[in-house]
Amino acid sequence: MSLGPYAPFIVTSYALVAAVVLLLILWIVTDYRRQQARLKEIEASGVTRRSGRSTREIR
């Protein structure tokens, strides 16, 4: 398969897009882990989530 005279541009573009997508995935995974750790810290300090209660408990 010949990409013609634009081969360097096409290959570079695909490589950059792949790198950006990989960085976004890593960022999301890292942020998720940070959020989970922060949530555990908050819950350990005694703060509870309202979403953890059923609606019948709230009066």
Side-chain angles (χ1 to χ4, degrees):
M1 178 174 151
S2 176
L3 299 176
Y6 302 107
F9 174 77
I10 294 169
V11 171
T12 303
S13 297
Y14 273 96
L16 287 174
V17 167
V20 168
V21 169
L22 181 62
L23 286 172
L24 286 172
I25 290 170
L26 291 173
W27 180 35
I28 290 168
V29 168
T30 304
D31 186 56
Y32 175 77
R33 289 180 180 167
R34 273 194 219 139
Q35 294 295 329
Q36 290 296 96
R38 180 71 178 131
L39 185 58
K40 285 181 183 179
E41 288 175 16
I42 292 170
E43 288 179 344
S45 71
V47 178
T48 58
R49 290 185 274 174
R50 284 188 275 170
S51 62
R53 292 186 262 164
S54 70
T55 57
R56 292 183 182 174
E57 291 180 18
I58 302 171
R59 293 181 192 245

